Structure formats: structure tokens, C-alpha cells
Amino acid sequence: LGRVGRLPNALNLDSFREWVQEALPDANIRFAGVAPETIQSIALCSGAGAEFIKDAARLHVDAYITGDVKYHDMQMAKELGILVVDAGHYGTEYMSQTILKRFLEDTFTKGEVEVIESESQGDFFFEV
């Protein structure tokens, strides 16, 4: 379910961090591994995608964005020479509920199905 793509223009690490935070505004972002001079090619897998760090490194992307990355996964990223962005499980998936709701509303006849977006779900992690 992952994707690989290229940004229209290469970004330095600071600009890339801002871009990721803007794209995933509810994410608590952590970086690890090795930061390249510029970042243009990106792999991503929403949710818990640490198991695909080796695949992202094999694809020679500049950065890999996912969630739920453990300490030893980040250590492996450093050994593989790839930048990994841990944007959290919730941070990489929360926007999908709005997209899915819109799809279901557009697919079914009005009144045929009531689609309710959860108001109780959220990120369990918070900053103090």
C-alpha cells in the first residue's frame, strides 16, 4: 500500500521538515537515519510501515515517511543510509477518514447509507 514519488523541486532538510509538517499537520514528527543534502524522491507507507525501511533503502529514495517506528528500526535506517520520518500511526492516516467518508457519500444514493465520521479518534501521543 506504499507509494514512491518525486517532489517537483529538491528540498533541504529544513524545508522538507516544514513540507512534511504542512502535509501532515496533526503528526508528531521524528527524524532519524541519514539526512541527504537534498530530498526529492520519497517513499511512504501510512500507519505502521517500519517493516518496509529496507525496501525504501533498496529503491534509493532520499526519504521514507511512515509511522510507529521503533528504536532499532531507526538504528537500521542509519546503517542503511536512509532518512526515515516517523510521523506516527495516527499522523499518517487521520486524513483518510474524510476521504473515505466523501467516497462513500458519492458512491451511495443520498439516504441509502448514513456515513458518520468518528469524533472520538485521535492521536494517543501528546506533547507536554
Side-chain angles (χ1 to χ4, degrees):
L1 295 175
R3 295 286 184 259
V4 177
R6 292 182 63 82
L7 297 172
N9 299 302
L11 303 174
N12 64 30
L13 184 60
D14 287 337
S15 297
F16 179 67
R17 180 190 51 75
E18 291 172 8
W19 179 82
V20 171
Q21 191 66 71
E22 185 178 318
L24 303 170
D26 290 338
N28 293 312
I29 299 172
R30 302 184 307 164
F31 290 79
V34 177
E37 202 169 300
T38 60
I39 300 161
Q40 189 165 18
S41 59
I42 302 168
L44 67 91
C45 177
S46 64
E51 65 191 273
F52 303 114
I53 291 172
K54 287 181 182 177
D55 295 317
R58 183 180 47 78
L59 292 170
H60 303 289
V61 295
D62 300 321
Y64 176 53
I65 303 170
T66 192
D68 293 345
V69 184
K70 295 179 181 176
Y71 176 87
H72 289 106
D73 297 322
M74 291 299 209
Q75 182 180 27
M76 178 181 59
K78 185 173 182 179
E79 292 168 2
L80 293 171
I82 186 170
L83 175 66
V84 173
V85 180
D86 180 353
H89 197 110
Y90 176 79
T92 60
E93 288 190 343
Y94 75 92
M95 75 293 283
S96 63
Q97 70 183 5
T98 302
I99 295 166
L100 182 57
K101 180 179 186 262
R102 190 176 310 128
F103 171 78
L104 292 172
E105 289 172 340
D106 292 345
T107 301
F108 292 96
T109 305
K110 188 173 180 113
E112 184 178 3
V113 173
E114 181 181 8
V115 182
I116 302 169
E117 197 169 340
S118 172
E119 295 178 13
S120 64
Q121 290 298 309
D123 198 345
F124 299 108
F125 296 95
F126 57 88
E127 294 184 32
V128 181

